[in-house]
């Protein structure tokens, strides 16, 4: 892949950030500057000459962040809280990090004429009644203010709208991408608090604990393997003929639409093939729990979430290829590789 690129990734030690770093170093000649408060996932790349890492707290090192934006071609501000349990327990932290701390970065991109690629979210569509969520047509439906879960959705939505307005009125070059339940190794970090559903279930199986199905597990998600997600994101960064500028893309796999109960059953069915997971899997039962008991007051759920991806497909010449079965197998295999090396596993 050709120009740009001096790529700045803020929050590079996170799930998306560290996978993206790996892809860029493997597949391109671009250089990457990364910022993060943690470094465990980027340590293997620290000796690469095309990678410069700043172990820093973006909320404190504001001058550093501004100067890094100034020196880059394209900026990905990926630092965010993205686990529903934390929307419930630390809603203000969600607003402060996901919105307040990212806004100055967007403004630096406006000031210095840099391209920004911002992680929006499938959660902006909320409980939209559409059978497929369309980035240019679907309405956003969220619950009342007391349903605190929606603070993430609305913080991200406001940022989307601000970026859009900067694009229209100040010429900001941007792309918004919306991940739909991306899955793969390294999805969650224990430091970040509670994990998302697949990480939780894998951890349950590893330790022989019951799997808790919230409200019967009939709610559906479209799970997208990180390898497919990275294919799309790399094309957005490449931005051939400026195709991705001023666009919004869902990045998801509508063919991998499954209920949470199906996810639990598929993971349990696969467990016997992976020795570390096999050990205690026979003890695991699938147990129902109410959302009230699991998340407390203020939780509301999305019953079905399927992305419209025809524009992503066409503009980026991209197609998600990893089936659900394959995605789960790849995830198990990657965790097995870590367990076999006695590496710390965040499950
Ligand atoms: C996620 C997060 O908000 C973000 O990571 C992201 O923006 C977005 O959706 C996405 O990845 O597309 P959600 O899908 O609700 O939200 O997050 P999970 O924690 O993975 O939960 C999925 C479903 O599993 C929910 O219905 C939840 O109630 C259920 N669940 C979760 C269980 O049944 N048991 C559990 O132990 C955990």
């Amino acid at each position: 892949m050709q120009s740009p690129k001096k790529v700045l990734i803020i929050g590079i030690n996170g799930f998306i950030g560290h996978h993206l770093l790996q892809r860029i170093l493997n597949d391109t000649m671009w250089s990457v500057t990364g910022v993060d408060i943690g470094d465990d996932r980027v340590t293997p790349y620290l000796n690469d000459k095309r990678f410069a890492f700043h172990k820093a707290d973006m909320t404190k090192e504001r001058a550093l962040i501004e100067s890094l934006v100034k020196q880059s071609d394209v900026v990905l501000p990926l630092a965010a809280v993205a686990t529903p349990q934390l929307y419930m327990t630390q809603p203000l932290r969600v607003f402060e990090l996901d919105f307040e701390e990212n806004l100055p970065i967007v403004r630096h991109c406006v000031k210095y004429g840099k391209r920004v690629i911002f992680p929006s979210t499938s959660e902006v569509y909320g409980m939209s009644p559409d059978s497929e969520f369309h980035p240019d047509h679907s309405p956003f439906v969220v619950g009342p203010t007391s349903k605190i879960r929606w603070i993430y959705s609305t913080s991200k939505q406001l940022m989307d709208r601000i970026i859009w307005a900067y694009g229209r009125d100040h010429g900001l070059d941007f792309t918004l991408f919306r991940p739909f339940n991306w899955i793969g190794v390294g999805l969650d970090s224990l430091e970040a608090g509670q994990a998302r559903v697949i990480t939780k279930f894998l951890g349950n199986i590893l330790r022989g604990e019951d799997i808790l199905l919230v409200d019967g597990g009939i709610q559906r998600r479209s799970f997208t393997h990180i390898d497919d997600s990275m294919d799309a994101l790399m094309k957005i960064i490449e931005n051939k003929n400026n195709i991705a500028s001023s666009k919004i893309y869902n990045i998801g796999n509508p063919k991998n639409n499954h209920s949470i109960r199906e996810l639990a059953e598929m993971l349990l069915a696969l467990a016997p093939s992976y020795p570390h997971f096999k050990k205690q899997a026979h003890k695991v039962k699938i147990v129902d729990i109410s959302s009230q008991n699991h998340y407390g007051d203020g939780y509301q759920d999305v019953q079905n979430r399927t992305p419209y991806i025809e524009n992503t497909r066409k503009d980026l010449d991209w197609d998600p290829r990893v089936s659900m079965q394959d995605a789960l197998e790849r995830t198990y295999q990657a965790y097995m590789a870590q367990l076999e090396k006695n590496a710390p596993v965040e499950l």
Side-chain angles (χ1 to χ4, degrees):
M1 287 191 186
Q2 289 314 304
S3 61
K5 287 343 165 194
K6 283 183 275 174
V7 182
L8 173 61
I9 305 176
I10 300 162
I12 197 163
N13 196 54
F15 176 51
I16 301 177
H18 83 284
H19 280 282
L20 186 57
L21 171 65
Q22 191 180 8
R23 280 296 283 269
I24 293 176
L25 295 179
N26 279 346
D27 296 358
T28 73
M29 291 310 292
W30 308 342
S31 64
V32 179
T33 299
V35 180
D36 208 295
I37 203 164
D39 59 3
D40 52 320
R41 291 156 163 159
V42 299
T43 305
Y45 310 100
L46 290 176
N47 289 331
D48 194 303
K49 288 195 177 59
R50 284 186 291 124
F51 179 41
F53 179 63
H54 299 263
K55 187 167 178 174
D57 181 346
M58 66 180 254
T59 68
K60 299 201 173 90
E61 307 277 350
R62 295 174 197 277
L64 169 72
I65 298 289
E66 180 165 357
S67 81
L68 295 178
V69 170
K70 207 170 159 184
Q71 293 162 46
S72 63
D73 296 322
V74 54
V75 179
L76 290 104
L78 302 181
V81 174
T83 51
Q85 206 119 20
L86 294 176
Y87 315 159
M88 308 297 300
T89 55
Q90 300 185 47
L92 292 175
R93 201 178 137 223
V94 174
F95 169 72
E96 287 158 7
L97 181 61
D98 298 21
F99 183 81
E100 277 193 308
E101 295 295 346
N102 277 289
L103 185 56
I105 301 171
V106 171
R107 289 191 162 138
H108 295 325
C109 293
V110 177
K111 180 172 168 188
Y112 297 111
K114 305 300 180 181
R115 174 165 161 70
V116 65
I117 300 174
F118 189 77
S120 178
T121 171
S122 65
E123 291 241 347
V124 294
Y125 301 104
M127 302 174 290
S128 183
D130 290 359
S131 56
E132 286 187 331
F133 296 166
H134 193 298
D136 299 319
H137 305 302
S138 286
F140 297 167
V141 179
V142 295
T145 309
S146 58
K147 298 293 181 194
I148 198 73
R149 185 244 170 87
W150 301 113
I151 197 162
Y152 172 74
S153 169
T154 50
S155 296
K156 286 280 191 182
Q157 183 195 149
L158 183 56
M159 187 69 94
D160 285 4
R161 293 186 187 277
I162 288 169
I163 291 172
W164 183 269
Y166 273 125
R168 198 195 68 173
D169 297 347
H170 294 268
L172 175 66
D173 184 355
F174 74 89
T175 303
L176 303 177
F177 67 96
R178 299 197 171 136
F180 276 65
N181 288 84
W182 290 7
I183 58 173
V185 69
L187 175 60
D188 292 294
S189 141
L190 289 183
E191 283 167 49
Q194 304 296 325
R196 280 159 282 190
V197 68
I198 182 167
T199 318
K200 274 198 183 159
F201 288 180
L202 284 169
N204 295 148
I205 295 169
L206 190 64
R207 292 185 293 274
E209 300 161 354
D210 288 347
I211 283 180
L212 300 179
L213 273 192
V214 173
D215 292 339
I218 54 171
Q219 57 282 43
R220 304 180 77 83
R221 297 292 188 270
S222 300
F223 296 96
T224 312
H225 191 261
I226 188 72
D227 292 349
D228 279 334
S229 314
M230 287 301 116
D231 288 344
L233 196 48
M234 290 296 286
K235 292 197 171 177
I236 291 173
I237 300 174
E238 186 188 15
N239 200 21
K240 216 174 187 175
N241 305 319
N242 297 324
I243 186 75
S245 290
S246 305
K247 302 271 180 60
I248 305 177
Y249 295 115
N250 290 335
I251 303 180
N253 190 340
K255 288 190 286 235
N256 289 351
N257 183 276
H258 289 277
S259 71
I260 303 304
R261 182 177 290 277
E262 285 163 2
L263 172 70
E265 288 167 352
M266 291 175 92
L267 286 171
L268 274 175
L270 284 169
S273 308
Y274 303 96
H276 286 72
F277 291 88
K278 182 182 175 182
K279 268 187 221 154
Q280 312 232 48
H282 63 279
K283 293 188 198 159
V284 179
K285 293 189 296 300
I286 296 180
V287 173
D288 284 327
I289 186 167
S290 70
S291 53
Q292 167 74 31
N293 284 343
H294 194 62
Y295 292 105
D297 284 337
Y299 184 74
Q300 223 173 5
D301 208 349
V302 177
Q303 290 310 309
N304 193 12
R305 180 189 278 165
T306 307
Y308 171 91
I309 56 167
E310 288 316 307
N311 62 326
T312 321
R313 242 192 251 276
K314 187 166 156 283
D315 283 6
L316 305 180
D317 186 22
W318 168 85
D319 212 18
R321 285 188 293 240
V322 185
S323 68
M324 188 66 177
Q325 187 75 8
D326 193 6
L328 299 183
E329 285 174 10
R330 288 187 198 193
T331 306
Y332 262 118
Q333 281 158 11
Y335 279 118
M336 276 301 298
Q338 291 187 1
L339 288 160
E340 275 163 8
K341 278 193 278 177
N342 283 328
V345 169
E346 301 187 274
L347 282 176

